[in-house]
Amino acid sequence: MKKHPIRLNVNGTEYDLLVAPNRTLTQALREDLGLTGAKHGCGVGDCGSCTVLLNGAPVNSCLVLAVQADGSNITTIEGLAEGTSLHPLQTSFIEKGAIQCGFCTPGMIMSAKALLDHSDRPTAREIREALSGNLCRCTGYQKIVEAVSDAAENMSRGGRKES
């Protein structure tokens, strides 16, 4: 199968890749770039564990072909922390106990980041709607909603918490 050259900006770094036309963005991120934060869950866009930001919008990377993402800016969970300083969402998920097995957490956080990029103080309903494409089988959603709300509050007060 003929491979196609693509260029991706992932977490601020440019990558040139040769990909098969049927290679998903999840596969390119995980297998070609070694960025394993986006999980391969259901593979059909139901669980949201593969959520990344594509030009600022949350997408199920299992449903996006890598060639479709050519020329795009991609943010993965690996791109949120700054050095040893976790993103406020990451800190709040830890502090609020919104993580158990952690499989869904990267996708949850990326969907929440997209929400907080456009809404400073979302309501619980808005948070639930923003996370409606992300499934969690073990934590339940109340602690996740509390973590997103906590992060929004912390961010509105001036930014990042140190990890």
Side-chain angles (χ1 to χ4, degrees), residues 65-115:
L65 295 173
V67 295
Q68 293 174 305
D70 184 24
S72 297
N73 294 313
I74 310 229
T75 305
T76 69
I77 191 75
E78 291 91 344
L80 293 188
E82 292 180 7
T84 60
S85 180
L86 294 177
H87 187 278
L89 278 164
Q90 294 169 307
T91 302
S92 291
F93 267 64
I94 294 167
E95 290 178 354
K96 295 294 181 183
I99 300 171
Q100 280 193 9
C101 82
F103 190 83
C104 70
T105 304
M108 289 278 185
I109 289 176
M110 296 313 294
S111 292
K113 182 177 184 321
L115 171 66

Side-chain angles (χ1 to χ4, degrees), residues 10 49 54 62 85-86 99 120 134 162:
V10 182
S49 64
L54 178 68
C62 70
S85 180
L86 294 177
I99 300 171
D120 292 340
N134 298 84
E162 294 298 318

